[in-house]
Amino acid sequence: MSEDSTRNGVSRRQYLAATGAVGAAGLAGCSGGGDGGDGGTTAGSSGDGEIGGTVTVFSGPQFVDAGFPEVLHEAGVPDSITIEMTRPPQDTGSKQQQLRTAINAEESDPDLVLTDNGWTLPFIVRGDLVNLEEEMDDEFISRVREEGVQSMINTGTHPETGDLYSVPVFPDFPTITYRKDLLRNAGYGESDFNTWRGDPPTWGEFSQIVSEAMDGADVDYGHLWQGNNYAGLACCTFNEYLTSMGGAFFGGQDNLFGPIGDRPVTLDTEESIDGIEAAVDTIHGTGSAPMDIEGVSPQEVAGWSEPDTKSLFEDGSAVTQRNWTYSIGGALTAFEETDMELGVMPLPQGPNGSWHAQGGWIMSMNPYTDNMASAKEVIKAWWEDSVLEYQFDTANFMPPKPELYSYVEQSDTYGPYFEALQYSAENLIPRPTTSVWPNQRSIVATEVNAALRQEKSPQEAASAMQEQISAVEEQSG
């Protein structure tokens, strides 16, 4: 087998190109004790200062109690620095608001924060994060630009100056995890599973498969996904339904990132309404979508986000789940020593194909940190291969360096699903991340969620989005 082929016959180079060359606002160290800085200070910060003290990292539950401080010290962070991982809110919108509140109050903690690729750019444009290009040495910045997933680097780059403000931590995209054992009982087999990895079923076919697997199975739910009124519905799950059905926020991908006020708003087109109808039919089976989609999702998904569906799927309560790549490792661990068998496929196809929301998290620095020198040491160490591999092994987060995807392919956990991961990575849809997106995504989430709860018809929700988002465009253009 050649170095550039996989055990499934899939080109690794194709996969790496897909994850590293997605659109401009998509996903997206050295050892020793020197300060590594070559520039001035950021307003509100105390400058480089002495190496030492405590660096707080606004990270997440996967990083708490997982040994990350020790691994970062082994990768070069001086022993004089204490690293404290904090546990922020679970959902991305709450994390954004908590960071917004801390910066508005000019709080020095946290020193470092993992920011969602979907809402980092507005912080950058407002000057609410440290310009790493000015504060860190040129060699490190060059390494990040050369080695990192390009779409994530673009996410952490100022759109006008081109300066780097954030360093990629992990890219992400969703897949469908499913119970092979239940599908076998429904008459499906390895030939089906193999086909779906590179040619997923349509939404209609998928709903029929889930429905058949539910019959006679000891499960409470069919297909789980995230339909709560929160940022993830607008940027991700609805975006996937919308794009697969041929709809678009602003007429197509070319307009996702502007120009604000000078692009068409297309949320009330027939195809965009189809996207809402498909999501509604997945829950209610009303038959309004252009393809026959059975109601295989519980009404509760309109109130659920990622942690909710992840835990339910892992305890065996559902046939399938839409979630991010880290959920694959979680399911495998949960299924150990049980009769449950895991399968992975890309998201189902609509008339416009199978599309997956482009996600991921990047490392940014609080402009009011009072320990910049030590925070920079943590950033540099986090970019070392050893830390990123440990991150993958312990938290199931994909490495932000394309060269490390061979490490993913060779893993016992993710290697068997490499073909499905490649397909998903090749079919990514970014969110329309601009300075007005935070307001627009609230509108989208509220209206789509109302349709999911059948408080509004898909047509009514689409009209409301069209009117409100057009107003935002006009006021901000």
Side-chain angles (χ1 to χ4, degrees):
M1 181 178 296
S2 71
E3 183 178 348
D4 283 319
S5 64
T6 73
R7 62 178 58 91
N8 294 321
V10 178
S11 166
R12 181 188 304 131
R13 183 171 293 136
Q14 287 178 318
Y15 178 55
L16 302 188
T19 57
V22 182
L27 291 177
C30 306
S31 61
D35 67 19
D38 62 356
T41 63
T42 300
S45 74
S46 61
D48 280 348
E50 298 294 328
I51 297 290
T54 299
V55 173
T56 56
V57 184
F58 189 79
S59 54
Q62 297 91 340
F63 297 96
V64 178
D65 301 324
F68 269 85
E70 292 82 356
V71 174
L72 287 164
H73 282 299
E74 292 172 0
V77 175
D79 292 338
S80 59
I81 299 173
T82 299
I83 304 169
E84 179 181 331
M85 300 287 176
T86 65
R87 189 186 298 268
Q90 287 277 15
D91 78 80
T92 182
S94 297
K95 290 177 182 177
Q96 179 186 10
Q97 184 56 47
Q98 187 166 325
L99 177 60
R100 174 80 266 150
T101 300
I103 290 177
N104 285 345
E106 300 185 6
E107 295 178 2
S108 59
D109 286 335
D111 300 285
L112 298 174
V113 58
L114 266 66
T115 55
D116 191 322
N117 81 105
W119 47 254
T120 304
L121 277 177
F123 279 83
I124 291 174
V125 172
R126 287 192 301 261
D128 287 341
L129 299 173
V130 170
N131 185 341
L132 299 181
E133 194 105 15
E134 294 180 350
E135 300 295 345
M136 302 192 72
D137 64 85
D138 294 341
E139 181 182 358
F140 175 73
I141 296 297
S142 295
R143 283 186 58 202
V144 173
R145 291 189 183 280
E146 292 170 3
E147 299 171 357
V149 171
Q150 188 59 51
S151 57
M152 297 191 73
I153 292 170
N154 291 338
T155 299
T157 298
H158 196 292
E160 296 177 2
T161 68
D163 287 348
L164 186 70
Y165 280 69
S166 307
V167 174
V169 175
F170 63 93
D172 215 349
F173 47 85
T175 62
I176 297 291
T177 50
Y178 62 93
R179 291 269 305 274
K180 275 188 175 182
D181 53 300
L182 297 182
L183 267 61
R184 289 187 200 280
N185 293 340
Y188 297 94
E190 287 300 325
S191 62
D192 300 300
F193 307 148
N194 291 337
T195 297
W196 296 338
R197 289 188 305 214
D199 184 19
T202 66
W203 284 108
E205 292 167 343
F206 175 75
S207 67
Q208 181 179 353
I209 292 167
V210 174
S211 178
E212 291 172 356
M214 288 182 69
D215 290 342
D218 184 21
V219 293
D220 297 323
Y221 307 112
H223 177 53
L224 304 180
W225 52 285
Q226 300 79 40
N228 193 18
N229 182 358
Y230 78 125
L233 175 60
C235 75
C236 304
T237 45
F238 170 60
N239 198 4
E240 292 156 2
Y241 277 109
L242 176 73
T243 309
S244 72
M245 300 304 289
F249 288 107
F250 300 105
Q253 291 197 41
D254 291 345
N255 300 319
L256 281 178
F257 314 117
I260 299 169
D262 192 24
R263 55 183 175 173
V265 179
T266 53
L267 284 162
D268 64 350
T269 65
E270 180 180 354
E271 293 81 6
S272 294
I273 295 172
D274 289 344
I276 305 175
E277 291 174 341
V280 170
D281 278 4
T282 306
I283 299 174
H284 302 286
T286 55
S288 56
M291 58 178 61
D292 186 14
I293 301 175
E294 298 186 39
V296 291
S297 296
Q299 295 187 31
E300 290 91 334
V301 298
W304 285 343
S305 61
E306 286 86 351
D308 304 306
T309 62
K310 183 175 183 291
S311 60
L312 287 168
F313 183 75
E314 289 177 359
D315 72 14
S317 296
V319 178
T320 63
Q321 175 194 208
R322 177 264 180 215
N323 214 325
W324 304 95
T325 53
Y326 63 79
S327 67
I328 296 173
L332 280 171
T333 299
F335 288 4
E336 288 179 354
E337 300 180 5
T338 73
D339 294 330
M340 296 185 289
E341 184 182 2
L342 183 69
V344 177
M345 71 170 85
L347 268 60
Q349 301 186 61
N352 193 42
S354 167
W355 291 91
H356 307 72
Q358 194 170 303
W361 292 76
I362 53 185
M363 180 72 72
S364 306
M365 188 185 297
N366 180 358
Y368 299 102
T369 176
D370 57 7
N371 200 1
M372 180 182 288
S374 298
K376 291 193 296 187
E377 293 298 316
V378 174
I379 291 177
K380 290 190 290 185
W382 209 306
W383 193 246
E384 292 298 315
D385 290 358
S386 60
V387 175
L388 299 175
E389 290 173 357
Y390 183 83
Q391 175 180 274
F392 173 71
D393 290 337
T394 57
N396 299 312
F397 290 146
M398 294 291 178
K401 298 181 182 181
E403 67 183 30
L404 292 182
Y405 276 91
S406 58
Y407 188 80
V408 175
E409 182 200 350
Q410 294 164 10
S411 76
D412 293 336
T413 302
Y414 284 80
Y417 310 113
F418 192 80
E419 186 176 355
L421 293 171
Q422 176 189 336
Y423 184 102
S424 302
E426 289 178 343
N427 294 274
L428 298 181
I429 178 66
R431 66 203 74 184
T433 305
T434 63
S435 59
V436 298
W437 175 241
N439 291 333
Q440 292 175 335
R441 78 173 186 215
S442 297
I443 295 168
V444 172
T446 298
E447 297 301 331
V448 173
N449 185 261
L452 297 181
R453 295 179 184 276
Q454 294 192 305
E455 296 168 357
K456 289 187 175 182
S457 70
Q459 291 80 7
E460 289 170 338
S463 296
M465 284 192 289
Q466 180 74 18
E467 179 180 352
Q468 295 175 63
I469 289 180
S470 294
V472 172
E473 290 283 306
E474 293 171 6
Q475 294 166 6
S476 306

